[in-house]
Amino acid sequence: MSEKLKIAFYWAASCGGCEIAVLDMNEKILDVVKIADIVFWPVALDVKYKDVENMPDKNIDITFFNGSIRNSEQEHMAKLLRQKSKTLVAFGSCAHEGCIPGLANLTDKKEIFEYVYLKENSVVNPEGTIPQTKTEVKEGTLTIPEFYDTVKTLAQTVDVDYYLPGCPPPVKLITNAVDAIARNELPPKGSVLAPLKAVCEECPRKRENKKIDKIYRVYEKIPEPEKCLLEQGIICLGLATRSGCGAQCLKVDMPCTGCGGAAPNQPEVGAGMITALASIFGYDEKTLSAEEVEKLMSQIKDPVGTFYTYSLPSSILRRKVMKK
Ligand code: SF4
Ligand code: SF4
């Protein structure tokens, strides 16, 4: 490679975990620096938005964008970085499918502001002040970004070239992506930079096609080692979730919660898992009665939080319909 690549990192509505995942590359980050100059990374470098605005279009070779889009500043930066980047990667579950910030699609701006600024027990706000996008003060007009009703994924905001899944993306997937970039061997546009299989295929636990007779929350049961958690009644989304994580959670008795996004050929994690459960609950000679199935389903507390933890904005459901 004759000239060094120009790489950018940006975070929108995110927890910062994806930025830590970049640091978790440890000495592998030196390989990145060998092939690339990092030209924009607000968490680590003092580069201003203005510097990006002044760049020629497509000046950045690859931007790794983490976080979902929940306000006007994030939308502006997504559009600006799209304009300035040859390749845009949705980095991590928030940018990919909406993730934890996307669970706010169960409510809207009005309800969130009312709760956070007026009703929350620790808030003292006798004048009932709610943030406004513009405030006049004697020195001039103060502005803050507009908070949106609905959290969106990066691809619902701008055109995305690749998706690096995970919450945060596993270091192995990041280093594989960096190697592919260095060798100029990225797959076709639109690809998810992770294996073409489900978490179950990486999971060391044994499935025996056993009937599920009771659903447990994680804290209610110490699972038997080596046996499939789902068949022990602990909802595990490994059937519907893309692998690449090495099934790390399963190795420490925690079920897959779906951060890798939809497994190949699944429409989405939630619908895929609900479909899988429907067939597991009623398979072969072990078929359950309608009442037994209903009893089992009622034991799944918080269905949206269980099946759509990471994917509500990108799912078929997208958001809750609010009463006007
Ligand atoms: S994908 Fe996970 S680790 Fe990354 S910003 Fe979102 S919540 Fe944090
Ligand atoms: S359902 Fe979960 S525990 Fe069972 S094999 Fe798949 S990933 Fe492993």
Side-chain angles (χ1 to χ4, degrees), residues 25 37 41 55 69 91 99 107 114 128 161 192 195 246 279 317:
M25 290 167 72
D37 286 328
W41 193 8
M55 290 175 185
I69 308 297
F91 184 83
C99 198
T107 175
E114 272 175 12
D161 297 300
V192 178
S279 66
L317 303 175

Side-chain angles (χ1 to χ4, degrees), residues 162-175:
Y162 297 104
Y163 303 86
L164 231 171
C167 179
V171 170
K172 184 90 181 82
L173 293 190
I174 304 174
T175 53

Side-chain angles (χ1 to χ4, degrees), residues 146-166:
E146 186 186 346
F147 188 94
Y148 293 149
D149 271 334
T150 299
V151 175
K152 288 188 186 168
T153 67
L154 186 59
Q156 287 166 346
T157 310
V158 291
D159 187 39
V160 168
D161 297 300
Y162 297 104
Y163 303 86
L164 231 171

Side-chain angles (χ1 to χ4, degrees), residues 275-311:
T275 308
L277 275 182
S279 66
I280 290 167
F281 283 170
Y283 60 147
D284 300 339
E285 70 280 6
K286 296 174 183 140
T287 301
L288 303 173
S289 69
E291 290 73 31
E292 284 174 307
V293 170
E294 219 159 274
K295 194 171 156 210
L296 278 175
M297 292 305 287
S298 70
Q299 291 166 1
I300 300 175
K301 306 298 175 202
D302 184 15
V304 175
T306 301
F307 298 118
Y308 292 94
T309 318
Y310 302 93
S311 62

Side-chain angles (χ1 to χ4, degrees), residues 199-200 203 205 207 227-230 236-239 250 256:
V199 172
C200 281
C203 177
R205 292 176 174 271
R207 287 171 62 199
K227 292 191 177 169
C228 172
L229 295 181
L230 188 57
C236 176
L237 272 51
L239 284 164
L250 288 310
C256 172

